[in-house]
Amino acid sequence: MKTVSILAPLAILSLSHLLTPVKSNPSSREPLAQVHEEHAHDHHGQGSSNGHGHGHSRKPNFLVILTDDQDLRMNSLDHLPLVQKYLRDEGTEFTNYYTTTAMCCPSRVSLWSGQFAHNHNVTDESPPHGSYTKFVSQKLDQNWLPTWLQKAGYSNNYIGKFINGVSPTLKHAPKGFDKDHWEPLVAPNIYTFYSPVFSTNDGPLEAHTGVYQTDIISDKSVAILDGLAKNKSQPFLFVVSPTAPHDEVWHTPGKANVEFTPPVPAKRHEGLFKDLKAPRHPNFNPEKNDKVSWIGQLPRLSQLDVDRIDAKYRARIQSLQATDELVERLVKRLKHNGQLDNTYIVYTTDNGYHLGTHRMYAGKQTAFEEDTNIPFIIRGPGVAKGVKSNAVATHTHFPATVLKLAGLPVPDELDAHSIPVLANKAVYGKDQSSEAFAVEFWSQAFMENSTGRYDTNTYKSVRLIGHGYNLLYTVWCTGEKEYYDLVQDPFQIKNLYHKAKPSLLDRLDALLNVLRTCKGPTCRDPWSVIHAQDPKLGHGKKHVRSLKDALDKKYDVFYSDFPKFEFQSCLQYYLPSNEVTTPAHDEL
């Protein structure tokens, strides 16, 4: 597989030796009315006579396969040969793709709204701060990707998991999916592999016993695709969302907490991968642990814990085999129906997952790579084949990406621009590839083998990936801070905060101060906001577009005077007044 660098090759450099600025990607907020024929081909020779990439006026279709809790950093994709054959080999994989809040509900809302969680304010899995209840009460379906596509004539269809909280009494379709096909999994049977419950278009509950959830979704998806093929003049968005490899979740009446058990594979896959173990990366159950907050207090995992982790890892990979088969079946059905060449197929998940990382048993909810760096593969007209791209992107980039490919206007209030998914980057105009984004979290943390909860898991991070640097800087509600240089330490073993240069930390504090409350253009270009604050340095607004630019010594005093962000307390929800600067600063 060929690797395409948007950042240019990442040199193994320390920050003190940065020599080359981040290469920008020309982009535009204007709609991509069509990708002309001369732009559709690249040197791989991909493209089709019927595709959007060849200048046809017919709008493209979008098939989104959205899994649940699927890891990238523990190599799950390597065990999915059909995903590799039909998507990786036929499309582009974005290796620097992230969720900005590592939890199902906030992440999925960001995926469809194009907003960071501090803007859409769905910050948990359960009410009052999360779930479908919070989503509905805030009317977030009034202005999001499905409604924009629906207004442009798209048929929008959904099957599988939406977000937690879709229940027998709250199962109606959100706007955007209300005119076509809406078939969500319904609680408390969202995460039960052999007893799923669906509801079609707010109709009666449809319970299945003894039939594998992903197989049911596969059968239903083929039927939906066949129905969509009857009217090929109408473009469609179709989201297929099985819950694998998420744990099974059991609700016991009278108990406050739910019980998590390993995912269950289809019976035909139970015997696979008998000797497979979770990867033993350097951050797996380390002897030394310099982490902060609750993670720094964890003891080493016992051998029994490690054995259970390996068993869970096998179960996760086994449970994904039916999803792997689903991918092949849907691609073949699109081809059979004559719609493959005009369809963008996206494979992604809501958040990542850790097993044994930094002594944590199993779960997500942290800012570490295992939880935030997630799969994202796209194939379709004009997309390069068999390529890995290191362009930086997040779930907040997804709505703009779809709108751009559909030739529709991209609202300026979106927190991120389009991902440069097409082989020809010239079509993106003046937009730049992202360098910095926020990772944020406000809820309790827990590990999926216990009922314990950790109240000090509220944090905000800035993630920076550019030419020669790859950084994570986190401010915790406890007042503790972390800084990792992932070029030198890709597994985030050594917290370098107390050894970092103050001038560098000043830049990271300023960047986090902007990103923590950013909206729209501010999220897309935080450096220009920072340098608009001082009239004496106003020229910097044009010249500072990256950390490399900002590290110029002439800005040292400016950054040292910038206010520093901190939490007043460890709340388990987003309250703007709990997130302050010292000294107080109202302009950011």
Side-chain angles (χ1 to χ4, degrees):
M1 176 174 282
K2 181 177 179 180
T3 298
V4 172
S5 177
I6 299 298
L7 305 173
L10 289 182
I12 306 301
L13 301 171
S14 67
L15 282 171
S16 61
H17 295 87
L18 292 176
L19 299 175
T20 309
V22 174
K23 289 189 176 182
S24 62
N25 232 6
S27 253
S28 172
R29 302 297 290 173
E30 296 301 316
L32 191 65
Q34 60 183 20
V35 185
H36 296 290
E37 183 167 357
E38 62 269 27
H39 292 157
H41 289 289
D42 71 348
H43 55 276
H44 296 282
Q46 85 287 348
S48 67
S49 59
N50 297 322
H52 182 62
H54 281 251
H56 286 233
S57 60
R58 187 156 54 103
K59 291 190 178 300
N61 307 310
F62 297 92
L63 172 63
V64 180
I65 301 161
L66 179 61
T67 63
D68 201 344
D69 282 10
Q70 184 173 351
D71 66 272
L72 176 66
R73 290 305 183 104
M74 294 190 298
N75 310 324
S76 66
L77 290 175
D78 293 346
H79 302 287
L80 303 180
L82 300 176
V83 169
Q84 294 179 48
K85 176 181 178 180
Y86 291 101
L87 300 182
R88 253 185 177 173
D89 295 348
E90 296 295 324
T92 297
E93 178 180 3
F94 287 80
T95 57
N96 284 328
Y97 189 88
Y98 289 82
T99 178
T100 57
T101 304
M103 181 183 276
C104 302
C105 288
S107 180
R108 287 174 180 246
V109 175
S110 290
L111 176 69
W112 301 113
S113 68
Q115 294 181 322
F116 288 106
H118 66 257
N119 287 328
H120 63 63
N121 204 23
V122 176
T123 60
D124 205 342
E125 304 283 40
S126 305
H129 306 297
S131 85
Y132 196 41
T133 301
K134 180 67 176 281
F135 177 89
V136 171
S137 69
Q138 295 194 152
K139 299 182 178 180
L140 293 174
D141 62 346
Q142 302 293 314
N143 197 32
W144 65 327
L145 180 61
T147 56
W148 299 327
L149 291 177
Q150 189 181 75
K151 290 176 182 177
Y154 272 75
S155 168
N156 296 337
N157 307 264
Y158 201 109
I159 184 169
K161 176 184 170 179
F162 180 56
I163 58 177
N164 287 3
V166 178
S167 69
T169 58
L170 187 64
K171 54 184 171 55
H172 67 276
K175 292 187 183 300
F177 292 106
D178 54 343
K179 293 183 179 179
D180 297 290
H181 192 91
W182 167 252
E183 193 168 359
L185 285 160
V186 179
N189 293 73
I190 295 175
Y191 302 106
T192 54
F193 283 89
Y194 272 101
S195 57
V197 174
F198 298 83
S199 172
T200 303
N201 297 330
D202 203 18
L205 298 181
E206 178 186 307
H208 298 262
T209 302
V211 185
Y212 196 62
Q213 181 212 97
T214 307
D215 292 343
I216 298 170
I217 289 175
S218 180
D219 289 344
K220 289 175 175 286
S221 296
V222 167
I224 293 170
L225 285 178
D226 288 347
L228 293 169
K230 294 177 181 178
N231 183 7
K232 294 181 181 178
S233 64
Q234 183 179 27
F236 65 77
L237 166 69
F238 183 21
V239 186
V240 181
S241 187
T243 58
H246 196 288
D247 271 13
E248 288 202 307
V249 181
W250 303 94
H251 300 256
T252 302
K255 289 188 177 182
N257 295 321
V258 298
E259 180 184 2
F260 288 80
T261 58
V264 176
K267 295 187 185 304
R268 62 187 178 277
H269 301 136
E270 287 177 346
L272 300 179
F273 311 106
K274 288 183 178 181
D275 299 322
L276 191 63
K277 294 183 177 181
R280 299 308 199 255
H281 293 149
N283 59 9
F284 181 87
N285 198 24
E287 289 187 17
K288 295 182 179 180
N289 182 12
D290 69 350
K291 301 296 166 277
V292 304
S293 189
W294 64 275
I295 304 173
Q297 301 171 19
L298 296 174
R300 289 198 77 194
L301 297 165
S302 68
Q303 186 58 51
L304 178 60
D305 288 332
V306 171
D307 292 342
R308 288 174 175 170
I309 281 173
D310 288 334
K312 181 181 284 251
Y313 183 74
R314 284 192 294 274
R316 285 171 56 83
I317 299 300
Q318 290 169 342
S319 74
L320 280 168
Q321 299 310 299
T323 303
D324 199 39
E325 295 167 353
L326 176 149
V327 167
E328 178 181 53
R329 194 176 181 196
L330 297 186
V331 171
K332 287 185 173 180
R333 203 63 179 187
L334 284 168
K335 185 175 182 180
H336 175 269
N337 292 340
Q339 293 182 296
L340 180 61
D341 291 340
N342 194 42
T343 300
Y344 290 100
I345 305 175
V346 172
Y347 186 97
T348 189
T349 190
D350 43 16
N351 48 258
Y353 202 75
H354 60 251
L355 279 170
T357 305
H358 307 300
R359 300 185 180 179
M360 295 181 290
Y361 179 79
K364 52 249 186 186
Q365 306 169 330
T366 78
F368 295 119
E369 291 293 277
E370 287 78 8
D371 295 355
T372 58
N373 189 200
I374 57 177
F376 186 90
I377 309 171
I378 183 170
R379 66 168 285 179
V383 177
K385 292 185 177 183
V387 165
K388 286 189 176 183
S389 170
N390 64 6
V392 181
T394 71
H395 270 346
T396 56
H397 290 75
F398 186 70
T401 303
V402 171
L403 293 171
K404 199 86 167 177
L405 292 173
L408 299 173
V410 179
D412 195 54
E413 65 266 22
L414 292 183
D415 291 343
H417 52 67
S418 174
I419 307 167
V421 298
L422 295 174
N424 176 35
K425 308 308 176 192
V427 300
Y428 292 98
K430 296 181 180 180
D431 272 356
Q432 292 195 38
S433 180
S434 295
E435 176 191 74
F437 58 90
V439 177
E440 48 195 9
F441 205 88
W442 299 270
S443 184
Q444 291 177 317
F446 63 92
M447 287 181 282
E448 296 177 0
N449 65 329
S450 71
T451 58
R453 295 293 186 269
Y454 301 91
D455 291 335
T456 58
N457 197 52
T458 296
Y459 61 82
K460 287 207 172 184
S461 305
V462 61
R463 218 36 200 89
L464 265 167
I465 304 175
H467 181 201
Y469 51 87
N470 188 341
L471 310 177
L472 172 67
Y473 176 64
T474 303
V475 174
W476 288 76
C477 65
T478 58
E480 297 163 293
K481 297 181 180 181
E482 290 180 296
Y483 164 67
Y484 297 95
D485 179 350
L486 278 78
V487 171
Q488 304 291 345
D489 179 19
F491 295 101
Q492 298 162 291
I493 295 171
K494 186 63 176 175
N495 179 9
L496 298 176
Y497 175 73
H498 294 292
K499 296 182 179 180
K501 292 181 179 180
S503 59
L504 170 61
L505 295 177
D506 286 341
R507 269 74 170 179
L508 298 178
D509 276 319
L511 193 57
L512 180 58
N513 215 354
V514 172
L515 290 172
R516 70 184 179 88
T517 57
C518 71
K519 293 184 179 180
T522 302
C523 303
R524 301 194 300 268
D525 188 10
W527 294 112
S528 68
V529 177
I530 293 172
H531 282 269
Q533 300 304 308
D534 190 337
K536 296 179 182 178
L537 296 172
H539 62 279
K541 182 176 181 179
K542 294 182 179 180
H543 298 292
V544 177
R545 306 302 299 269
S546 69
L547 177 63
K548 169 64 173 61
D549 299 337
L551 284 170
D552 192 309
K553 290 183 179 297
K554 68 183 177 183
Y555 300 129
D556 282 355
V557 174
F558 172 64
Y559 277 102
S560 68
D561 290 340
F562 238 76
K564 305 297 189 284
F565 162 70
E566 64 183 10
F567 292 92
Q568 290 187 321
S569 63
C570 288
L571 298 180
Q572 275 76 61
Y573 56 93
Y574 177 45
L575 181 65
S577 62
N578 188 53
E579 302 178 8
V580 298
T581 57
T582 304
H585 196 288
D586 295 330
E587 295 181 22
L588 293 181

